[in-house]
């Protein structure tokens, strides 16, 4: 789903700093330490990556630029911003970050023209750091779409395979200029992001909008899973998983299933989009969505972050929990991500309004077993 301008009322409320009781959590769900949540910075659409020296890097958009911030204490505190990229005439957003096997860092983002219909076109961009995120170079345009909002390209995310191949996925409207359809496109790099190969559709439901892909290479050779939002499952957007075996590697048709367990399916009117997928070191998969379940109305402007726990095959997601359980009725927690820290602990990252300061917030949590 392309990020739209949201005219949401900003409701300022004091945070309820009461940590949830671990003994009240369902097995296979996340217990969130709301007393430990904290505001990091202004900005939007943040992701956290563990880098080789153990630090955490926060990739995010702030204004027209994309930046990084560093934490040396597992996300408790964050340093100042380092600018990764900015260009006149563009709004840069949808930042993603990948630690590569050779030690480099690969930064991905979406270039959006500041003026619709002009000379600039929607792009998927990449850049590399060879020094752990201190400096950035080798900027590349991986893909160029149309010059109008309705035919844009959006939300890049990537994984690296043991062979060294990098797989870059993004939502792509550009091939469907006479309709509102959208596919998930795959591009590959065999030289650590210095160049990108041709584009291939790996997920497309005719008449609908597959969007916002987040890939994971599942442990124990369980395949390549990509979480997407799918408005062809049941009413409004719901989370789905698109899958390929490791051996097939997206050469043949992909497989698709509803991410949520059969007893966790949501009503058609509920919006549950912008999925983010991660896998814990112990094998459980974790899926976040921005959801209107339990919210005052089924509109994006009041959606809240919900986090589900699934199995090692990226299936049967259940037991949703909210890192921001006291989010005011007129506020939202959007464009979320989750980052495993170790076998039991993880971080929820969200762009939040209504908690006193609007911007990027982080909440620590642990997996109840």
């Amino acid at each position: 789903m392309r990020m739209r301008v949201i005219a949401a009322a900003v409701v300022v409320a004091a945070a309820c700093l009461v940590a949830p009781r671990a003994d009240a959590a369902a097995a296979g769900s996340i217990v969130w330490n709301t007393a430990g949540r904290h505001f990091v910075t202004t900005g939007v659409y943040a992701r956290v990556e563990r880098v080789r020296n153990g630090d955490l890097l926060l990739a995010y958009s702030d204004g027209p630029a994309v930046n990084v911030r560093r934490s040396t204490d597992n996300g408790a505190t964050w340093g100042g911003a380092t600018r990764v990229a900015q260009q006149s005439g563009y709004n840069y957003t949808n930042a993603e970050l990948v630690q590569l096997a050779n030690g480099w860092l690969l930064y991905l983002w979406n270039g959006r023209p500041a003026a619709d219909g002009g000379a600039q076109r929607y792009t998927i961009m990449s850049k590399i750091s060879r020094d752990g995120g201190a400096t950035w170079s080798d900027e590349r345009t991986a893909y160029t779409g149309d010059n109008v909002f309705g035919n844009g390209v959006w939300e890049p995310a990537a994984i690296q395979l043991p062979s060294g191949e990098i797989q870059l996925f993004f939502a792509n409207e550009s091939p469907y200029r006479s309709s509102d359809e959208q596919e998930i496109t795959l591009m590959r790099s065999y030289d650590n992001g210095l160049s990108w190969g041709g584009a291939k559709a790996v997920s497309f439901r005719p008449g609908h909008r597959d969007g916002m892909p987040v890939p994971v290479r599942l442990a124990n050779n369980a395949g390549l899973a990509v979480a997407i939002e799918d408005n062809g499952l049941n009413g409004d957007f719901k989370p789905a998983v698109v899958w390929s075996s490791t051996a097939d590697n997206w050469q043949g048709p992909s497989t698709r299933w509803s991410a949520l367990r059969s007893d966790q399916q949501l009503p058609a009117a509920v919006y549950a989009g912008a999925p983010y997928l991660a896998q814990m070191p112990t094998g459980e998969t974790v899926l976040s969505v921005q959801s209107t379940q339990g919210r005052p109305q089924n509109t994006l402007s009041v959606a809240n972050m919900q986090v589900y726990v699934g199995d090692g095959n990226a299936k049967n997601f259940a037991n949703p929990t909210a890192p921001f359980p006291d989010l005011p009725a007129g506020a939202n927690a959007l464009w979320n991500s989750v980052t495993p820290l170790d076998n039991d602990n993880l971080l929820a990252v969200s762009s939040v309004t209504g908690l006193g300061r609007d911007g990027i917030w982080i909440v620590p949590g642990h997996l109840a077993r």
Side-chain angles (χ1 to χ4, degrees):
M1 176 180 175
R2 54 184 181 251
M3 190 184 304
R4 301 179 185 274
V5 177
I6 302 170
V10 177
V11 179
V12 178
C16 178
L17 300 179
V18 178
R21 288 166 50 97
D23 59 2
S29 64
I30 308 296
V31 180
W32 299 105
N33 176 16
T34 53
R37 74 183 180 192
H38 57 279
F39 173 86
V40 178
T41 180
T42 58
V44 70
Y45 204 97
R47 280 83 176 92
V48 172
E49 178 79 358
R50 175 83 74 186
V51 297
R52 180 165 287 187
N53 70 351
D55 292 351
L56 298 177
L57 288 187
L58 177 79
Y60 67 103
S61 171
D62 194 4
V66 284
N67 300 333
V68 292
R69 290 176 183 260
R70 183 180 303 271
S71 174
T72 60
D73 55 11
N74 254 3
T77 61
W78 296 87
T82 296
R83 180 66 43 84
V84 175
Q86 184 174 357
Q87 182 178 341
S88 177
Y90 274 91
N91 177 36
Y92 283 168
T93 188
N94 293 158
E96 280 279 357
L97 186 61
V98 182
Q99 173 75 72
L100 301 182
N102 71 347
W104 296 0
L105 295 171
L106 176 67
Y107 199 107
L108 303 164
W109 72 94
N110 174 209
R112 303 183 180 185
D116 205 46
Q120 286 86 6
R121 293 178 176 270
Y122 286 80
T123 58
I124 300 298
M125 307 290 294
S126 66
K127 208 164 185 175
I128 290 167
S129 175
R130 294 173 171 83
D131 56 11
T135 62
W136 297 86
S137 61
D138 297 290
E139 184 168 311
R140 301 287 188 267
T141 301
Y143 187 90
T144 301
D146 200 9
N147 65 339
V148 296
F149 181 80
N151 299 323
V153 294
W154 324 92
E155 304 120 11
I159 52 173
Q160 188 175 36
L161 305 187
S163 65
E165 173 189 332
I166 299 171
Q167 298 188 344
L168 164 61
F169 300 83
F170 58 95
N172 190 356
E173 293 181 285
S174 192
Y176 309 100
R177 300 188 180 186
S178 60
S179 75
D180 198 39
E181 295 168 310
Q182 181 173 267
E183 69 176 41
I184 304 302
T185 299
L186 166 65
M187 301 182 74
R188 305 175 197 255
S189 174
Y190 299 97
D191 56 8
N192 294 298
L194 292 174
S195 64
W196 296 96
K200 175 184 179 178
V202 294
S203 175
F204 176 63
R205 187 192 290 273
H208 294 88
R209 297 180 55 82
D210 291 352
M212 304 200 71
V214 177
V216 169
R217 181 174 65 87
L218 297 172
N220 300 315
N221 200 34
L224 307 173
V226 181
I228 66 168
E229 59 178 18
D230 183 350
N231 65 350
L233 280 173
N234 178 30
D236 209 337
F237 284 101
K238 304 294 190 296
V241 172
V242 179
W243 180 89
S244 172
S245 71
T246 306
D248 186 66
N249 195 12
W250 308 106
Q251 298 304 318
S254 58
T255 301
R256 180 195 303 242
W257 57 77
S258 172
L260 303 185
R261 200 171 67 194
S262 59
D263 63 341
Q264 304 283 306
Q265 297 298 310
L266 298 170
V270 168
Y271 161 75
Y276 196 90
L277 181 65
Q279 187 168 33
M280 302 294 289
T282 45
E284 300 91 345
T285 46
V286 180
L287 177 77
S288 74
V289 293
Q290 53 193 37
S291 176
T292 60
Q293 184 182 26
R295 300 296 288 162
Q297 57 198 43
N298 288 315
T299 60
L300 177 67
S301 62
V302 297
N304 195 4
M305 184 178 188
Q306 296 275 355
V307 183
Y308 294 78
V309 178
D311 61 28
N313 296 310
K315 294 181 177 180
N316 299 310
F317 288 94
N319 301 324
T321 54
F324 304 94
D326 57 337
L327 191 73
N332 53 54
L334 303 176
W335 321 118
N336 314 296
S337 63
V338 288
T339 301
L341 297 177
D342 54 37
N343 287 349
D344 301 303
N345 297 295
L346 70 166
L347 298 177
V349 186
S350 185
S351 307
V352 182
T353 66
L355 296 181
R357 302 181 71 183
D358 293 351
I360 297 164
W361 286 71
I362 287 180
V363 186
H366 73 269
L367 179 61
R369 295 187 176 87

